[in-house]
Amino acid sequence: MKRYLVLLLVLIARSAIAEHAIAVDSVAVKLFYQHSGRLSPPLLESDYLVNVFIGEYSLENDKAVEPSNTAIVDVSVSLPAGEDAFGDVELIVTDLDTKKVMLRQVRSTGAFDRTGISHVAFLYPEIGCSRLQFEASAKTAKFKDRSKPRSIILPFGCHSG
């Protein structure tokens, strides 16, 4: 009977701990505009992203586009409110046409606010003519496994001629 009670307590404790795992809430990609130094609104998968590096594209949420060859990736992660933990976020940028990993970077989560949110910024300096997937996952020191990943696919492209 004691064995079953211990096993039951372990299972209850494990499920309670699992509720406190870190989660990736969003992956937002913003272009860094070369003329003004401002950032675009978060890119949408439906935005027209052809010839971004010479400014011939259009964004649904921004009519004043400029040339850009660099993106800022904002990964929002969360823990339950009031929790704080040392952790990291991994960002993997993959060229979907060649399946080549263009960037793999890990950054610390930093501090979480009162609501349990932290933002982690990454720089991607190689906007070009390829469809890219930006995928992020997170983990804390308490857990060996990474969180469920979140991703966005952006169809960067180029016209010839």
XYZ file of all heavy atoms in Angstrom, residues 42-95:
406
model
N 5.135 43.380 -37.316
C 5.404 41.952 -37.515
C 4.921 41.499 -38.891
O 3.820 41.845 -39.321
C 4.608 41.278 -36.399
C 4.470 42.326 -35.347
C 4.371 43.637 -36.093
N 5.761 40.742 -39.590
C 5.416 40.249 -40.913
C 4.343 39.172 -40.808
O 4.341 38.379 -39.865
C 6.646 39.672 -41.608
C 7.803 40.639 -41.822
C 8.974 39.907 -42.482
C 7.387 41.838 -42.645
N 3.475 39.157 -41.794
C 2.428 38.152 -41.878
C 2.777 37.168 -42.980
O 3.422 37.542 -43.974
C 1.082 38.808 -42.185
C 0.647 39.937 -41.246
C -0.613 40.603 -41.778
C 0.447 39.405 -39.845
N 2.345 35.933 -42.842
C 2.614 34.940 -43.882
C 1.973 35.340 -45.209
O 2.407 34.908 -46.266
C 2.151 33.560 -43.431
C 3.001 33.008 -42.300
C 2.597 31.617 -41.837
O 1.483 31.164 -42.166
O 3.409 30.983 -41.141
N 0.978 36.216 -45.170
C 0.292 36.652 -46.379
C 0.910 37.890 -47.028
O 0.480 38.302 -48.095
C -1.177 36.923 -46.060
O -1.266 37.950 -45.084
N 1.916 38.506 -46.384
C 2.548 39.697 -46.958
C 3.280 39.350 -48.248
O 3.787 38.242 -48.418
C 3.536 40.322 -45.966
C 2.853 41.091 -44.860
O 1.800 41.703 -45.118
O 3.383 41.089 -43.732
N 3.350 40.329 -49.150
C 4.064 40.175 -50.421
C 5.529 40.537 -50.161
O 5.852 41.694 -49.907
C 3.445 41.091 -51.477
C 4.152 41.042 -52.806
C 3.989 39.955 -53.655
C 4.967 42.085 -53.216
C 4.622 39.913 -54.892
C 5.606 42.055 -54.444
C 5.433 40.960 -55.278
O 6.066 40.915 -56.488
N 6.422 39.550 -50.175
C 7.807 39.739 -49.742
C 8.812 39.452 -50.857
O 9.800 38.755 -50.662
C 8.093 38.837 -48.530
C 7.242 39.138 -47.300
C 7.430 38.073 -46.238
C 7.571 40.511 -46.747
N 8.577 39.998 -52.034
C 9.490 39.806 -53.160
C 10.380 41.035 -53.292
O 9.902 42.168 -53.265
C 8.714 39.539 -54.465
C 9.648 39.488 -55.654
C 7.946 38.222 -54.332
N 11.688 40.804 -53.409
C 12.702 41.858 -53.533
C 12.711 42.796 -52.321
O 12.780 44.017 -52.457
C 12.522 42.646 -54.824
C 12.759 41.796 -56.050
O 13.446 40.781 -55.987
N 12.190 42.199 -57.172
N 12.670 42.219 -51.148
C 12.680 42.986 -49.899
C 13.940 43.838 -49.791
O 13.887 44.988 -49.371
C 12.550 42.029 -48.686
C 12.828 42.741 -47.385
C 11.164 41.401 -48.670
N 15.076 43.301 -50.189
C 16.352 43.990 -49.998
C 16.513 45.226 -50.889
O 17.412 46.026 -50.669
C 17.528 43.034 -50.204
C 17.478 42.290 -51.506
C 18.083 42.785 -52.634
C 16.796 41.078 -51.587
C 18.022 42.101 -53.827
C 16.735 40.392 -52.782
C 17.344 40.911 -53.914
N 15.624 45.428 -51.894
C 15.643 46.670 -52.671
C 14.342 47.454 -52.520
O 14.148 48.474 -53.164
C 15.976 46.424 -54.170
C 14.984 45.467 -54.811
C 17.394 45.950 -54.331
C 15.206 45.254 -56.301
N 13.448 46.993 -51.669
C 12.254 47.749 -51.318
C 11.088 47.643 -52.277
O 10.222 48.514 -52.289
N 11.005 46.580 -53.064
C 9.911 46.430 -54.030
C 8.756 45.582 -53.503
O 7.921 45.154 -54.271
C 10.441 45.796 -55.326
C 11.384 46.677 -56.082
C 11.838 46.057 -57.392
O 11.575 44.862 -57.635
O 12.482 46.773 -58.161
N 8.678 45.355 -52.237
C 7.656 44.504 -51.632
C 6.558 45.364 -51.031
O 6.648 46.589 -51.009
C 8.288 43.615 -50.561
C 8.894 44.415 -49.438
C 8.226 44.554 -48.237
C 10.128 45.043 -49.586
C 8.757 45.297 -47.204
C 10.670 45.786 -48.563
C 9.987 45.917 -47.383
O 10.511 46.652 -46.366
N 5.507 44.736 -50.535
C 4.472 45.473 -49.812
C 4.043 44.669 -48.592
O 4.088 43.444 -48.597
C 3.271 45.763 -50.722
O 2.679 44.551 -51.132
N 3.665 45.401 -47.566
C 3.189 44.788 -46.325
C 1.765 45.245 -46.072
O 1.433 46.420 -46.273
C 4.058 45.192 -45.136
C 5.541 44.870 -45.210
C 6.240 45.345 -43.937
C 5.772 43.392 -45.418
N 0.943 44.336 -45.608
C -0.448 44.664 -45.324
C -0.563 45.765 -44.275
O -1.401 46.657 -44.384
C -1.171 43.400 -44.862
C -2.659 43.577 -44.722
C -3.358 42.267 -44.402
O -2.987 41.240 -44.986
O -4.258 42.295 -43.565
N 0.304 45.730 -43.255
C 0.195 46.675 -42.138
C 1.150 47.855 -42.220
O 1.316 48.584 -41.250
C 0.436 45.938 -40.815
C -0.656 44.950 -40.529
O -1.818 45.189 -40.836
N -0.306 43.814 -39.959
N 1.838 48.058 -43.372
C 2.783 49.164 -43.491
C 2.916 49.532 -44.960
O 3.436 48.756 -45.756
C 4.138 48.761 -42.916
C 5.103 49.928 -42.802
O 4.744 51.062 -43.165
O 6.228 49.704 -42.343
N 2.453 50.708 -45.313
C 2.524 51.148 -46.714
C 3.847 51.847 -47.022
O 4.178 52.073 -48.173
C 1.353 52.083 -47.046
C -0.006 51.429 -46.817
C -0.155 50.130 -47.577
C -1.471 49.452 -47.256
N -1.501 48.057 -47.580
N 4.633 52.232 -46.023
C 5.885 52.961 -46.232
C 7.086 52.022 -46.104
O 7.915 52.167 -45.224
C 5.998 54.108 -45.239
N 7.155 51.040 -46.991
C 8.250 50.066 -46.917
C 9.544 50.657 -47.455
O 9.530 51.602 -48.251
C 7.902 48.758 -47.660
C 6.697 48.105 -47.029
C 7.691 48.995 -49.137
N 10.667 50.108 -47.003
C 12.005 50.532 -47.403
C 12.850 49.293 -47.652
O 12.471 48.196 -47.246
C 12.665 51.329 -46.272
C 11.946 52.569 -45.844
C 12.616 53.197 -44.628
O 13.813 52.949 -44.369
O 11.915 53.939 -43.914
N 14.017 49.453 -48.281
C 14.912 48.312 -48.416
C 15.288 47.737 -47.049
O 15.415 48.461 -46.064
C 16.149 48.911 -49.104
C 15.662 50.141 -49.779
C 14.553 50.662 -48.910
N 15.455 46.428 -47.014
C 15.843 45.758 -45.775
C 16.518 44.437 -46.102
O 16.019 43.667 -46.922
C 14.619 45.489 -44.903
O 14.998 44.805 -43.726
N 17.651 44.185 -45.466
C 18.268 42.868 -45.605
C 18.483 42.217 -44.247
O 19.151 41.200 -44.129
C 19.580 42.938 -46.394
C 20.618 43.819 -45.727
O 20.418 44.282 -44.603
N 21.716 44.057 -46.411
N 17.899 42.821 -43.212
C 18.062 42.330 -41.853
C 16.703 42.244 -41.160
O 15.860 43.116 -41.345
C 18.979 43.277 -41.051
O 20.221 43.389 -41.733
C 19.234 42.758 -39.648
N 16.516 41.208 -40.372
C 15.276 41.049 -39.606
C 15.584 40.923 -38.116
O 16.617 40.375 -37.725
C 14.515 39.816 -40.069
N 14.694 41.437 -37.319
C 14.720 41.252 -35.865
C 13.622 40.225 -35.563
O 12.477 40.390 -35.987
C 14.410 42.559 -35.113
C 15.367 43.679 -35.509
C 14.401 42.322 -33.602
C 16.797 43.453 -35.115
N 13.982 39.182 -34.847
C 13.023 38.144 -34.496
C 12.734 38.257 -33.000
O 13.646 38.148 -32.185
C 13.556 36.734 -34.841
C 12.510 35.679 -34.541
C 14.001 36.674 -36.302
N 11.490 38.505 -32.663
C 11.040 38.655 -31.275
C 10.301 37.385 -30.880
O 9.231 37.097 -31.406
C 10.128 39.874 -31.159
C 9.473 40.006 -29.791
O 9.901 39.346 -28.828
O 8.506 40.785 -29.691
N 10.895 36.630 -29.947
C 10.267 35.411 -29.453
C 9.719 35.699 -28.062
O 10.465 36.070 -27.158
C 11.261 34.232 -29.409
C 10.581 32.979 -28.871
C 11.864 33.979 -30.790
N 8.411 35.565 -27.918
C 7.754 35.777 -26.634
C 7.582 34.426 -25.948
O 7.040 33.491 -26.533
C 6.395 36.431 -26.856
O 5.686 36.511 -25.650
N 8.079 34.336 -24.700
C 7.959 33.094 -23.934
C 7.247 33.392 -22.622
O 7.236 34.522 -22.147
C 9.342 32.442 -23.659
C 9.985 31.975 -24.944
C 10.274 33.391 -22.927
N 6.636 32.356 -22.046
C 5.896 32.576 -20.809
C 6.063 31.428 -19.822
O 6.328 30.289 -20.195
C 4.410 32.777 -21.105
O 3.866 31.607 -21.659
N 5.902 31.803 -18.581
C 5.794 30.891 -17.443
C 4.514 31.291 -16.711
O 3.988 32.383 -16.946
C 6.983 31.069 -16.495
C 8.337 30.551 -16.940
C 9.428 31.037 -15.991
C 8.339 29.037 -16.991
N 4.013 30.464 -15.831
C 2.857 30.898 -15.042
C 3.184 32.192 -14.291
O 4.323 32.405 -13.871
C 2.630 29.740 -14.071
C 3.188 28.550 -14.789
C 4.384 29.074 -15.527
N 2.207 33.082 -14.146
C 2.403 34.374 -13.477
C 3.058 34.182 -12.117
O 2.687 33.283 -11.365
C 1.068 35.095 -13.334
N 4.032 35.008 -11.825
C 4.740 34.938 -10.548
C 5.925 33.996 -10.547
O 6.745 34.030 -9.645
N 6.036 33.148 -11.554
C 7.169 32.229 -11.651
C 8.341 32.949 -12.302
O 8.167 33.902 -13.044
C 6.817 31.011 -12.506
C 5.783 30.108 -11.900
C 6.347 29.208 -10.811
O 7.483 28.750 -10.945
O 5.628 28.984 -9.828
N 9.540 32.494 -12.049
C 10.726 32.980 -12.729
C 11.691 31.816 -12.786
O 11.709 30.975 -11.885
C 11.349 34.165 -11.994
C 12.221 35.024 -12.893
O 12.460 34.625 -14.055
O 12.665 36.088 -12.445
N 12.464 31.747 -13.828
C 13.378 30.620 -13.978
C 14.472 30.994 -14.960
O 14.269 31.821 -15.846
C 12.641 29.389 -14.481
N 15.638 30.396 -14.770
C 16.699 30.542 -15.762
C 16.337 29.642 -16.926
O 15.955 28.496 -16.750
C 18.048 30.133 -15.174
C 18.528 31.054 -14.102
C 18.528 30.660 -12.785
C 18.974 32.328 -14.424
C 18.957 31.512 -11.783
C 19.400 33.191 -13.435
C 19.401 32.791 -12.107
N 16.434 30.192 -18.116
C 16.089 29.401 -19.275
C 16.728 29.953 -20.522
O 17.465 30.932 -20.492
N 16.436 29.288 -21.627
C 16.937 29.776 -22.905
C 15.923 29.526 -24.000
O 15.005 28.726 -23.853
C 18.286 29.143 -23.254
C 18.210 27.658 -23.545
O 17.445 27.246 -24.451
O 18.926 26.883 -22.888
N 16.113 30.259 -25.083
C 15.299 30.113 -26.278
C 16.233 29.772 -27.425
O 17.283 30.398 -27.577
C 14.523 31.407 -26.603
C 13.797 31.299 -27.933
C 13.545 31.727 -25.486
N 15.849 28.775 -28.217
C 16.624 28.423 -29.404
C 15.824 28.827 -30.628
O 14.639 28.508 -30.743
C 16.910 26.925 -29.452
C 17.699 26.529 -30.692
C 18.007 25.039 -30.760
O 17.062 24.232 -30.575
O 19.167 24.693 -30.990
N 16.479 29.544 -31.545
C 15.861 29.925 -32.810
C 16.595 29.212 -33.936
O 17.825 29.233 -33.998
C 15.954 31.437 -33.042
C 15.394 31.928 -34.376
C 13.872 31.800 -34.396
C 15.821 33.352 -34.656
N 15.824 28.568 -34.806
C 16.384 27.903 -35.985
C 15.708 28.515 -37.205
O 14.481 28.511 -37.308
C 16.136 26.380 -35.949
C 16.772 25.765 -34.699
C 16.679 25.721 -37.217
C 16.388 24.319 -34.466
N 16.525 29.059 -38.109
C 16.018 29.617 -39.362
C 16.444 28.671 -40.471
O 17.629 28.391 -40.639
C 16.557 31.031 -39.623
C 16.008 31.584 -40.939
C 16.216 31.963 -38.462
N 15.452 28.166 -41.211
C 15.709 27.176 -42.261
C 15.247 27.708 -43.614
O 14.144 28.237 -43.734
C 14.954 25.862 -41.947
O 15.324 25.420 -40.641
C 15.287 24.778 -42.969
N 16.114 27.549 -44.617
C 15.758 27.846 -46.002
C 14.905 26.668 -46.472
O 15.397 25.541 -46.578
C 17.018 27.985 -46.844
C 16.744 28.289 -48.304
O 15.787 27.717 -48.875
O 17.513 29.072 -48.890
